[in-house]
Amino acid sequence: MGHVTRIVIIGGGPGGYEAALVAAQLGAEVTVVDRDGLGGASVLTDCVPSKTLIATAEVMTTFDSSYEELGITVADAPVPPAHGQQRPAAPDKPARVVGVDLGKVNRRVKRLALAQSHDITASVTRAGARVVRGRGRLEGCQTAEGTRCVVVGAPDGSEERLTADAVLVATGGRPRELEDALPDGERILNWTQVYDLEELPEELIVVGSGVTGAEFAGAYQALGSHVTLVSSRDRVLPGEDPDAAAVLEDVFRRRGMNVMARSRAARVKRVGDRVEVALADGRVITGSHCLMAVGAIPNTAGMGLEEAGVKLTASGHIKTDRVSRTSAPGVYAAGDVTGVLALASVAAMQGRIAMYHFLGDAVGPLNLKTVSANVFTDPEIATVGFSQADVDAKRIVADSVKLPLLRNPRAKMQGIRDGFVKIFCRPGTGIVVGGVVVAPRASELIHPISLAVDNSLTVEQIAGAFTVYPSLSGSVAEVARQLHARKSGDGIG
């Protein structure tokens, strides 16, 4: 009987469990070492919970922003709304009887996250992998036989030693904490703690205007909180398409959010049942709760990585190549711990690529220019491929057309006022190299552009495909037609 390849995966998030499924399918003996439950932060404390919360907020916003225009009548309440209900649009109007039970919402969030974790565990074990609960660390260097040793510290204090032909580190990250703004889980919160709230924050201060901060700020504003978003940069979502960020910031302000640009938080402290956020310029703002959304740090400490020859960056992330190899032979890494792109889809792809590579299957290196991503605000912001920043920095020469959704017949029917479709293509060939969609369900609308980028399709090919009339996806084809007209020298109307 031949040697069975032994794979040990440390971390059960998307990078870990997807790698386990691939390795088991390819005949390896797989052990997944996991501390908190399969699915990792993505399923238990981050992506799945936040998007479940946002789903409730989305219903509230959709109704609140378009019910009058669509001819829907709502009974008015003659008395002020109870805690957690939507506030009236204007002081002289009675409150609408539309509210949210945050405790019930959060119980649903936790229930769905746990169910998803159980489903993943069942899939991984059904595939033949073994799941070990505990904290894993590498021990020493590769042996003369080419194997690695992983020591697992179990919750009861015992230890188990595992021998592996290859190790995948997929331990993810955790919320970054500032010394002068440490969360207490009650009034000062990080994004993993908000699901313990039973009542809606009356006045929520969100520190940080990146993806996480913007998503939560928009969600709680929709649920009925008075939200102040503290941004140290000129605008919200500084890493996203500037046109998209401008639309979202305008929507935030129009819906009553207090967006404070160029305002850096210096410290946050609790004062009784209130919080005080001191800004670097001396101003102090107060609220009932504060959510800290100031980035994440990788879970690489105390794992024996550097002792095993794994090189880390100054930020503590693991250095990897495009097939997920680290600097240590037989050690791979995937997911947020690598600092490549903090997306579950990228983590999963890195994990699968690592296993395909080590086990000798056909594999293509990671190509970040085909990755689609979405910001789950309202409206959503979806992107793929080369960006406006790439074009502005001359990293690629590309033409672009941006078409507002206001011109789309389906958008008019649904009362959608905000958003656009933008496509980038090469000027000579018309090959699609990137795109941006700002719209409700932009995460779904980006897919045809993603297919075009991934397969080097041209704007002519997109323009020539049938779309349903009326549909929001019709705007994708219309932008492609306009770009094709420009490429053909016909001009744009």
Side-chain angles (χ1 to χ4, degrees):
M1 188 172 176
H3 171 71
V4 176
T5 303
R6 295 161 297 183
I7 303 289
V8 173
I9 298 168
I10 307 175
Y17 73 72
E18 287 287 349
L21 293 172
V22 166
Q25 184 182 31
L26 294 177
E29 179 185 288
V30 183
T31 302
V32 181
V33 180
D34 182 74
R35 187 183 63 183
D36 301 316
L38 291 196
S42 175
V43 167
L44 295 169
T45 60
D46 191 357
C47 193
V48 169
S50 66
K51 278 47 176 182
T52 306
L53 176 77
I54 288 166
T56 300
E58 187 179 72
V59 173
M60 299 281 285
T61 304
T62 302
F63 182 80
D64 190 47
S65 62
S66 59
Y67 80 98
E68 288 182 299
E69 183 176 335
L70 297 181
I72 300 170
T73 58
V74 181
D76 288 330
V79 294
H83 185 71
Q85 289 183 341
Q86 284 279 15
R87 288 171 172 77
D92 58 339
K93 285 187 179 181
R96 289 191 294 103
V97 189
V98 180
V100 64
D101 182 338
L102 190 66
K104 188 173 183 179
V105 171
N106 280 340
R107 286 189 289 276
R108 177 175 183 263
V109 166
K110 292 179 180 179
R111 186 171 67 249
L112 289 177
L114 201 58
Q116 180 73 0
S117 178
H118 288 162
D119 287 348
I120 293 167
T121 303
S123 296
V124 169
T125 53
R126 194 163 53 240
R130 177 188 175 215
V131 179
V132 178
R133 178 59 63 90
R135 186 187 295 269
R137 71 177 190 274
L138 286 170
E139 188 175 78
C141 300
Q142 203 172 23
T143 66
E145 295 78 28
T147 61
R148 293 275 179 183
C149 179
V150 174
V151 179
V152 181
D156 63 6
S158 63
E159 287 191 346
E160 180 181 358
R161 299 171 70 85
L162 303 172
T163 302
D165 297 298
V167 175
L168 174 70
V169 181
T171 46
R174 63 186 185 278
R176 179 169 165 252
E177 294 183 350
L178 305 180
E179 192 174 328
D180 291 325
L182 293 177
D184 61 11
E186 293 179 359
R187 295 284 169 176
I188 305 173
L189 309 158
N190 63 38
W191 67 76
T192 71
Q193 298 169 330
V194 295
Y195 310 108
D196 293 324
L197 293 174
E198 282 294 319
E199 293 188 348
L200 191 68
E202 189 174 343
E203 300 167 283
L204 177 66
I205 301 169
V206 178
V207 177
S209 64
V211 172
T212 301
E215 287 184 347
F216 277 112
Y220 279 104
Q221 181 78 17
L223 294 174
S225 297
H226 280 166
V227 176
T228 296
L229 180 59
V230 178
S231 172
S232 62
R233 309 288 285 275
D234 290 344
R235 58 180 171 86
V236 299
L237 297 174
E240 298 297 319
D241 180 90
D243 292 334
V247 169
L248 186 66
E249 185 166 332
D250 179 60
V251 169
F252 277 175
R253 293 183 190 277
R254 201 169 67 230
R255 290 177 182 163
M257 188 183 299
N258 178 23
V259 180
M260 302 180 66
R262 296 180 294 279
S263 301
R264 183 177 297 277
R267 64 183 179 279
V268 181
K269 69 176 181 177
R270 179 172 175 173
V271 183
D273 286 338
R274 305 282 293 171
V275 292
E276 288 185 357
V277 178
L279 304 180
D281 62 8
R283 289 176 295 167
V284 176
I285 54 176
T286 65
S288 62
H289 297 75
C290 179
L291 171 61
M292 299 298 297
V294 289
I297 56 174
N299 293 321
T300 51
M303 290 187 61
L305 294 175
E306 290 179 293
E307 293 83 351
V310 176
K311 290 182 179 177
L312 306 180
T313 67
S315 59
H317 291 93
I318 298 174
K319 292 183 179 180
T320 56
D321 64 13
R322 290 175 63 199
V323 290
S324 305
R325 288 179 297 190
T326 72
S327 55
V331 181
Y332 292 74
D336 290 4
V337 78
T338 67
V340 173
L341 269 181
L343 296 170
S345 57
V346 172
M349 185 64 75
Q350 287 178 298
R352 288 191 290 262
I353 286 173
M355 295 301 99
Y356 289 137
H357 182 267
F358 184 76
L359 295 170
D361 206 60
V363 62
L366 184 68
N367 181 7
L368 295 179
K369 284 307 171 189
T370 62
V371 174
S372 56
N374 194 67
V375 183
F376 288 86
T377 47
D378 183 31
E380 293 181 356
I381 298 172
T383 54
V384 66
F386 284 93
S387 66
Q388 188 69 57
D390 292 322
V391 175
D392 293 344
K394 305 286 193 294
R395 287 188 284 270
I396 188 170
V397 177
D399 289 335
S400 69
V401 163
K402 183 181 77 170
L403 187 68
L405 281 185
L406 271 173
R407 301 184 194 175
N408 181 287
R410 185 68 183 274
K412 292 174 185 174
M413 294 169 193
Q414 293 183 276
I416 299 168
R417 304 177 190 85
D418 304 295
F420 61 82
V421 174
K422 182 196 290 187
I423 293 177
F424 302 97
C425 77
R426 299 289 280 171
T429 60
I431 290 173
V432 178
V433 293
V436 184
V437 179
V438 181
R441 298 287 196 275
S443 48
E444 313 293 346
L445 288 169
I446 197 67
H447 191 236
I449 306 176
S450 296
L451 286 172
V453 170
D454 198 39
N455 293 282
S456 299
L457 301 183
T458 66
V459 288
E460 183 179 8
Q461 288 172 305
I462 295 179
F466 277 98
T467 57
V468 171
Y469 181 87
S471 67
L472 295 183
S473 59
S475 287
V476 176
E478 178 59 27
V479 171
R481 276 191 289 273
Q482 292 193 15
L483 275 167
H484 177 55
R486 173 184 289 181
K487 183 177 74 72
S488 303
D490 300 330
I492 298 175

